[in-house]
Amino acid sequence: MTTFDINWVRSQFPALAVKVNGFPAAFFDGPGGTQVPQRVIEAISGYLAASNANQHGAFATSRRTDEVLAAAHAAMADLLGCDAAETVFGANMTSLTFTLSRALGRELQPGDEIVVTRLDHDANVSPWTALEERGCVIRWVDIHPEDCTLDMEDLRRQVTAHTRVVAVGYSSNAVGTINDIEEVVRLAHAVGAIAYIDAVHYAPHGPIDVRKLDCDFLVCSPFKFFGPHSGVLYGKREHLQRLRPYKVRPAVDRIPGRWETGTQNHEAMAGVAAAVNYLADLGRRHTPEAQGQRAAILAAYDAIRAYEQGLLAQLVPALLEIPGLTFYGIKEPARFGERVPTVAVRIAGRSPRELAAYLGERGIFTWDGNYYALNLSERLGVEPRGGMLRIGLVHYNTAEEVDRLLAALRALAPRA
Ligand SMILES: Cc1ncc(COP(=O)(O)O)c(C=O)c1O
């Protein structure tokens, strides 16, 4: 195993050279969308230059398009640990989740229950609460506000004999908590319910194995893991075959095509395969003996996780020493294995917007507000006060960038 080659990583991402007011840009906005390696840009423009067509035609560019789309499905199957036919592309996670909730809704009855959580992004909440129109009952799982973890006892209470769907996030896009998904799936299956997992925020940070999780569905968004704007849904083959999507008649009825409504974003799909390739290359650099694409991807996540944990150990204790700072989420280094490096804070006397604007002027990109984790922001009581400042680290960030961020935040702290 070699040490993490941050210079090679950064050399892959042209956007990291951006400057703002003379400052090099420090991208801590990854949870809203990450930067992309050069090869992703080339795959997108290369597709448009040489293969641009619709699918299933009897001519060269259409045949090349069929190959590009098949490669994108295969790449996502390698990333998620499933078959290519179990991967469905779409505009983004939100659209795919509405597609699925509508299709599932066709077979739900009044009184059927759906479990959602207060930790989740609204894209794994509103598509389910929409089914109240059909008489479904929504049950809410609470959090432990002191460390922003999911209240698993409450989850056990909310899952009943009437539960048909349990919708839970793999990791919080606001405070970074990783949930015990294997246990969530086990609880859902114990009552015959479907487990729908939102892995959008987990995918840039940790390995996903849908077979091991045994989840029924899992969604992610390539633009959060170094690819272009698009969404991908994994569904167990039997569900994708059995459930009835809303579709047009001439479109194929095979999986996964029956779920991919209309013409897809072909150039983005070309870019997704390149993003997965980037991860595999990173893994092979770290673990040259990794055999095959899936093993290389898993090696990449080993390397990413170890490196990110180092940045987290630098960031969190230093944040906690800033006067007037409130930290939301898991803060004990011994428990960092239960979180990804996405942290949310407030500083007394400053709105999160003010903090983000000050940092932004200095080339440090963070988010303020609720980032659509609306129920969490309300539960923590910060929604009426502008939410929280979110600092989202990924593996192309550096210790120097974290130092710059800390120095800038110290300058904003209230004087004693
Ligand atoms: C955890 C989580 N779930 C869902 C979404 C929605 O994803 P998309 O923008 O692809 O619809 C996001 C985006 O911020 C997210 O962070």
Side-chain angles (χ1 to χ4, degrees):
M1 213 181 258
T2 53
T3 53
F4 193 74
D5 192 350
I6 185 66
N7 291 331
W8 178 81
V9 165
R10 290 183 65 85
S11 74
Q12 302 298 298
F13 291 84
L16 301 184
V18 166
K19 289 212 157 119
V20 179
N21 300 332
F23 298 98
F27 290 91
F28 294 124
D29 63 332
T34 47
Q35 300 308 313
V36 301
Q38 180 65 30
R39 72 182 78 191
V40 170
I41 299 167
E42 283 166 12
I44 293 170
S45 52
Y47 171 78
L48 290 171
S51 310
N52 189 13
N54 219 318
Q55 12 172 11
H56 307 319
F59 53 95
T61 48
S62 182
R63 277 195 291 271
R64 280 206 285 275
T65 292
D66 291 341
E67 285 164 18
V68 165
L69 304 193
H73 283 281
M76 284 309 300
D78 288 335
L79 189 89
L80 300 175
C82 60
D83 298 337
E86 294 174 309
T87 63
V88 174
F89 277 79
N92 47 54
M93 176 277 185
T94 307
S95 307
L96 287 166
T97 303
F98 272 111
T99 297
L100 237 294
S101 77
R102 270 197 298 270
L104 272 165
R106 286 177 132 176
E107 49 175 50
L108 297 184
Q109 307 296 328
D112 283 346
E113 295 178 1
I114 301 177
V115 175
V116 297
T117 90
R118 299 213 183 272
L119 194 55
D120 269 78
H121 186 286
D122 209 57
N124 203 24
V125 175
S126 286
W128 306 114
T129 56
L131 294 175
E132 282 178 311
E133 284 170 4
R134 302 184 62 92
C136 293
V137 175
I138 306 298
R139 284 176 163 266
W140 290 88
V141 180
D142 203 2
I143 59 158
H144 297 293
E146 64 282 6
D147 62 0
C148 297
T149 53
L150 202 59
D151 183 340
M152 291 299 282
E153 279 314 306
D154 194 29
L155 191 133
R156 282 184 195 96
R157 273 194 298 277
Q158 301 307 333
V159 174
T160 75
H162 303 288
T163 307
R164 302 294 305 275
V165 180
V166 178
V168 176
Y170 209 141
S171 174
S172 158
N173 71 313
V175 290
T177 317
I178 298 174
N179 294 319
D180 183 352
I181 295 302
E182 282 188 48
E183 178 64 2
V184 169
V185 173
R186 205 187 57 71
L187 291 168
H189 288 178
V191 296
I194 275 174
Y196 190 93
I197 309 303
D198 171 6
V200 170
H201 192 67
Y202 186 70
H205 304 292
I208 297 171
D209 186 338
V210 290
R211 295 264 188 271
K212 182 154 177 278
L213 292 174
D214 194 29
C215 53
D216 299 281
F217 296 97
L218 179 141
V219 251
C220 58
S221 302
F223 70 99
K224 309 287 178 102
F225 57 89
F226 322 110
H229 291 97
S230 53
V232 178
L233 168 92
Y234 154 79
K236 268 187 184 164
R237 182 180 289 271
E238 71 223 52
H239 296 318
L240 293 180
Q241 277 168 344
R242 182 183 55 81
L243 288 167
R244 284 186 303 130
Y246 287 89
K247 68 180 280 294
V248 294
R249 288 171 302 161
V252 295
D253 205 26
R254 296 187 299 274
I255 64 164
R258 68 197 300 250
W259 293 93
E260 294 182 331
T261 317
T263 304
Q264 294 297 302
N265 186 335
H266 299 170
E267 54 274 28
M269 290 174 72
V272 171
V276 174
N277 252 320
Y278 158 75
L279 285 171
D281 266 4
L282 173 62
R284 278 187 283 268
R285 289 182 77 83
H286 188 254
T287 309
E289 62 278 15
Q291 296 286 324
Q293 195 78 343
R294 171 88 181 144
I297 291 165
L298 296 179
Y301 279 116
D302 277 348
I304 286 172
R305 212 158 153 68
Y307 178 75
E308 289 181 349
Q309 290 280 316
L311 293 181
L312 200 53
Q314 176 193 358
L315 175 67
V316 176
L319 283 175
L320 296 175
E321 285 183 6
I322 294 177
L325 183 139
T326 307
F327 187 94
Y328 300 89
I330 296 168
K331 51 177 169 294
E332 303 81 7
R335 294 182 58 204
F336 281 175
E338 296 169 52
R339 58 147 46 254
V340 297
T342 301
V343 306
V345 299
R346 289 184 58 91
I347 291 185
R350 311 265 186 189
S351 72
R353 185 70 179 189
E354 217 180 319
L355 298 175
Y358 176 91
L359 294 170
E361 283 300 299
R362 284 152 189 79
I364 302 170
F365 303 165
T366 56
W367 275 106
D368 65 285
N370 62 35
Y371 357 99
Y372 288 20
L374 176 61
N375 288 292
L376 178 66
S377 176
E378 287 176 343
R379 177 68 176 86
L380 295 173
V382 295
E383 181 60 18
R385 295 183 289 136
M388 299 169 282
L389 179 79
R390 177 179 68 183
I391 305 157
L393 276 56
V394 293
H395 73 283
Y396 53 59
N397 291 125
T398 66
E400 294 75 40
E401 289 177 336
V402 171
D403 278 341
R404 264 176 69 204
L405 167 84
L406 287 166
L409 286 178
R410 280 187 203 108
L412 291 168
R415 303 276 160 252

